[in-house]
Amino acid sequence: MSIQDRVLWRSRRAFLGGAGALVALPFLESLAPRSALAMGVAPQRFVAWYFACGVPAITDWTPTTLGMNWQPSLLLTGLAPIKQKVTVLSGLRNAGHGPDHTYGTGAFLTGSEFTAGTIPINQSIDQVIADNLQTRAGKPPIHSMQLGPFDTNCEPFGNCGFIQNISFGSTGTPITKETDAQNAFNRLFMGTSPAASNTAAQARLALRKSVLDAVTKDATSLSSQLSRGDQARFDEYLTSVRKVENQISAVATGGSGAPATSCAMPKMPTGLTMTAKPDGALLEAEINAFTSVMTLAFQCDLTRVIAFMMTSGGTRYAPMGLTDYHLGITHHGVSDWQPKFRLVVTWIVTKFAAFLQQLDAIKDVDGTSTVLDNTLAFCSSEISDGNKHNHDDMPVLLGGSLGGAFKPGQHIQYSNGETFADLFMWVAKSMGLPPMTTFGTTGTGKITGIV
């Protein structure tokens, strides 16, 4: 079969094939039909980025000025490199009650008030959006992704499914997140036939082979057919895929270079888990790996909806060698809580900013905007103040502008009881979904736009 037969153009997507592996390609003009070039329309994307336990104080988080001239506050200094494409929303509230971490996390994307023993009454907004996108022409091959490092934290008298997940299906059932970055990477690149591709993926894991190694012949052949500009984009893309593979491999081996346990048991490729490093020593490496996988997923248009949890709600885990995050750092009964809490939240913001910068470094299919420009990255927590456990005046960041749906780089203050659910109703409408009259138990449509 010729390379022309194997590399098919389908809704701005193409693939390299070899040895049972498929590697999706970025937008390349040399492969695009004239109709695609004429359209040049970049897809809209939504990602929810969750962090646990709120912030030391909302005054540490909130910029002192409104509008376009806001300056990063104490906790938002990490946004400086990408500030012009980040919007800070103040004054929003969300549903939630005790156990605060459990039900605040369950309400994170559902906007639902619910009690012990019950399930959320509605889908999470990421699933609502993803379901709608799957009904359209040119739909992405992967409905949505739920990702985050392994964390089994539960709260007394709380439902573990609510605190460990932020995506919920149409029946209110938690959609379990993928906790292994290697598995997430394989899902994107191991092919479209589950039976055949799983076999190939397991073989690659056992042999420590790269998906790029499997498609080298096709990649070499394809490169010779591309324009000079596309060759540069193609080389840059393959380099980024290789970088993510190496990054994931380093995480899976704990940085030692020795084969991971998952390679010794290829039928159960679990990779690194938090139980292997209960002090959170590799938390940052895991988050970096997931961030790179998410970037590739959007770059290749393999999915347009992602829900990412840095940790589970009320987590014990923290970076930089800190331990017992929830009870030992985020509550005021500990003498040195404040500097440690501020250090972690500043790190969280820096990680979110790094993700945004990765998206902003990629030109989208229209050739002018970036992937970030056509994305809405929603970042927040299950509570506001880590000690008070309140659900009003929540810390909220929006990265990107959803394809020009609003002007980014602002600080906006809400004061009329607007909720996360109100914001999600506007996001869904801006992504082409039919207008909603309500969402969750708190959304009534108070937010009609971001100007």
Side-chain angles (χ1 to χ4, degrees):
M1 185 181 293
S2 68
I3 184 69
Q4 288 88 350
D5 292 330
R6 288 195 296 264
V7 182
L8 302 177
W9 181 263
R10 293 178 180 174
S11 302
R12 298 191 304 276
R13 290 187 299 276
F15 298 88
L16 290 177
L22 288 179
V23 175
L25 299 181
F27 179 79
L28 298 171
E29 292 182 355
S30 305
L31 298 181
R34 293 183 181 275
S35 58
L37 290 174
M39 291 171 57
V41 178
Q44 293 175 308
R45 309 167 182 89
F46 175 77
V47 56
W49 180 292
Y50 167 91
F51 66 92
C53 299
V55 299
I58 198 63
T59 52
D60 291 342
W61 174 278
T62 307
T64 57
T65 56
L66 297 173
M68 301 296 294
N69 295 321
W70 68 277
Q71 294 301 314
S73 60
L74 177 66
L75 299 178
L76 300 183
T77 54
L79 295 177
I82 198 73
K83 170 182 173 291
Q84 72 279 8
K85 294 191 176 182
V86 180
T87 297
V88 183
L89 302 183
S90 298
L92 290 180
R93 62 181 179 87
N94 197 20
H97 55 79
D100 299 287
H101 297 286
T102 298
Y103 296 117
T105 307
F108 185 72
L109 293 180
T110 66
S112 294
E113 290 280 6
F114 51 100
T115 58
T118 68
I119 59 176
I121 61 173
N122 60 282
Q123 280 182 294
S124 52
I125 193 62
D126 62 314
Q127 294 304 290
V128 174
I129 293 171
D131 282 354
N132 181 271
L133 294 181
Q134 289 296 304
T135 67
R136 305 182 191 179
K139 65 184 180 182
I142 297 177
H143 174 276
S144 61
M145 299 186 79
Q146 297 73 37
L147 306 171
F150 182 79
D151 188 344
T152 59
N153 186 58
C154 284
E155 196 171 22
F157 309 109
N159 186 310
C160 296
F162 295 164
I163 202 170
Q164 295 172 12
N165 303 285
I166 54 176
S167 291
F168 295 85
S170 58
T171 62
T173 302
I175 301 176
T176 305
K177 62 181 180 286
E178 173 57 67
T179 61
D180 187 317
Q182 178 72 67
N183 287 347
F185 183 82
N186 287 342
R187 183 182 177 192
L188 293 174
F189 296 107
M190 68 185 183
T192 56
S193 172
S197 58
N198 281 337
T199 300
Q202 302 299 342
R204 285 196 303 276
L205 286 172
L207 297 173
R208 304 300 293 168
K209 287 190 66 175
S210 159
V211 293
L212 290 185
D213 293 339
V215 300
T216 297
K217 183 177 179 180
D218 273 359
T220 302
S221 178
L222 175 62
S223 182
S224 65
Q225 302 179 45
L226 301 178
S227 66
R228 182 171 298 180
D230 274 349
Q231 284 181 350
R233 282 189 285 272
F234 186 50
D235 290 343
E236 180 183 23
Y237 171 69
L238 293 184
T239 298
S240 68
V241 173
R242 179 74 74 185
K243 179 180 178 181
V244 175
E245 284 194 326
N246 292 338
Q247 185 178 30
I248 292 171
S249 178
V251 172
T253 59
S256 66
T261 303
S262 60
C263 298
M265 298 183 296
K267 292 185 178 181
M268 298 182 63
T270 57
L272 176 74
T273 65
M274 294 293 284
T275 53
K277 288 288 184 180
D279 58 0
L282 293 178
L283 179 60
E284 182 168 13
E286 289 187 280
I287 289 171
N288 289 346
F290 276 115
T291 297
S292 296
V293 169
M294 290 189 289
T295 300
L296 285 174
F298 278 172
Q299 180 179 6
C300 298
D301 197 27
L302 293 175
T303 191
R304 297 175 192 166
V305 177
I306 299 175
F308 175 65
M309 301 183 75
M310 297 185 81
T311 63
S312 293
T315 186
R316 305 185 305 278
Y317 301 121
M320 298 168 283
L322 298 173
T323 58
D324 197 20
Y325 182 58
H326 174 215
L327 296 178
I329 295 177
T330 68
H331 289 67
H332 299 187
V334 182
S335 60
D336 59 347
W337 70 272
Q338 189 175 57
K340 289 182 178 178
F341 201 174
R342 286 175 172 173
L343 180 65
V344 173
V345 175
T346 301
W347 172 83
I348 287 169
V349 172
T350 300
K351 287 299 164 190
F352 179 63
F355 173 55
L356 300 184
Q357 288 176 277
Q358 289 185 35
L359 297 182
D360 201 43
I362 303 167
K363 283 291 183 183
D364 218 330
V365 299
D366 58 6
T368 56
S369 64
T370 69
V371 171
L372 177 60
D373 292 332
N374 300 302
T375 298
L376 184 73
F378 169 77
C379 174
S380 190
S381 187
E382 82 275 23
I383 56 176
S384 178
D385 187 297
N387 188 64
K388 296 178 181 177
H389 288 199
N390 58 307
H391 302 278
D392 61 318
D393 203 3
M394 296 287 290
V396 178
L397 301 175
L398 301 181
S401 61
L402 201 56
F406 67 100
K407 189 174 183 178
Q410 306 183 64
H411 174 210
I412 300 172
Q413 176 73 46
Y414 292 100
S415 57
N416 294 315
E418 293 90 346
T419 67
F420 281 13
D422 290 319
L423 175 65
F424 298 152
M425 292 171 67
W426 172 80
V427 171
K429 181 179 179 181
S430 298
M431 294 187 72
L433 276 69
M436 302 177 182
T437 55
T438 61
F439 181 72
T441 53
T442 58
T444 60
K446 287 184 178 181
I447 295 177
T448 57
I450 300 177
V451 296

